[in-house]
């Protein structure tokens, strides 16, 4: 079971990398007001959602305690990220505020995962 959990954690990190990497590729365009939501951002956010839910289930199945408040906050942030990326995915240019919000919420989600113990 530990190998499966570690594999899912690896996939979760790949999802985070895709979401944050997609945002970082748009930083130059963000400054010029020509940024857009790239497909990697949507795929990364969806990967994070699926693997995050799987991790909670696997940990609970193993009898580990899960901090439900932390998971709830992370899920709420991810739902906002997914909503913004999904709604704006087909637009040629998105507002810098929307793209910046996705980046800030992604970074916040990462810091919550690492620092909230």
């Amino acid at each position: 079971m530990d190998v499966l959990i570690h594999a899912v954690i690896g996939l979760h990190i790949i999802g985070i990398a895709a979401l944050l990497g997609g945002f970082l590729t748009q930083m130059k365009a963000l400054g010029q007001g020509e940024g857009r939501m790239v497909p990697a951002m949507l795929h990364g956010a969806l990967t994070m959602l699926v693997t995050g839910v799987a991790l909670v289930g696997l940990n609970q199945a193993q009898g580990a305690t899960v901090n439900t408040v932390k998971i709830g906050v992370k899920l709420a942030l991810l739902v906002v990220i997914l909503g913004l990326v999904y709604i704006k995915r087909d637009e040629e240019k998105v507002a810098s505020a929307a793209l910046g919000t996705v980046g800030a919420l992604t970074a916040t989600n990462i810091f919550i995962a690492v620092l909230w113990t």
Side-chain angles (χ1 to χ4, degrees):
M1 184 74 107
D2 287 337
V3 173
L4 179 60
I5 290 174
H6 290 316
V8 175
I9 289 171
L11 291 172
H12 194 68
I13 292 171
I14 289 171
I16 293 167
L19 177 58
L20 189 60
F23 167 75
L24 292 175
T25 62
Q26 296 298 304
M27 288 295 290
K28 185 175 181 181
L30 175 69
Q32 299 168 350
E34 298 177 354
R36 55 187 292 265
M37 302 290 183
V38 296
M41 295 170 75
L42 179 61
H43 297 153
L46 288 171
T47 301
M48 285 177 60
L49 178 64
V50 170
T51 57
V53 169
L55 283 170
V56 170
L58 289 171
N59 280 305
Q60 285 183 338
Q62 202 173 31
T65 58
V66 177
N67 186 342
T68 55
V69 176
K70 175 182 174 179
I71 299 302
V73 169
K74 288 177 57 59
L75 179 62
L77 291 175
L78 186 57
V79 166
V80 172
I81 292 168
L82 263 170
L84 281 170
V85 172
Y86 187 78
I87 290 170
K88 303 287 188 177
R89 73 187 186 284
D90 291 332
E91 294 182 15
E92 203 56 40
K93 295 180 186 177
V94 297
S96 296
L99 194 56
T101 300
V102 169
L105 290 177
T106 301
T108 302
N109 214 346
I110 292 168
F111 284 115
I112 287 172
V114 173
L115 298 175
W116 189 339
T117 56

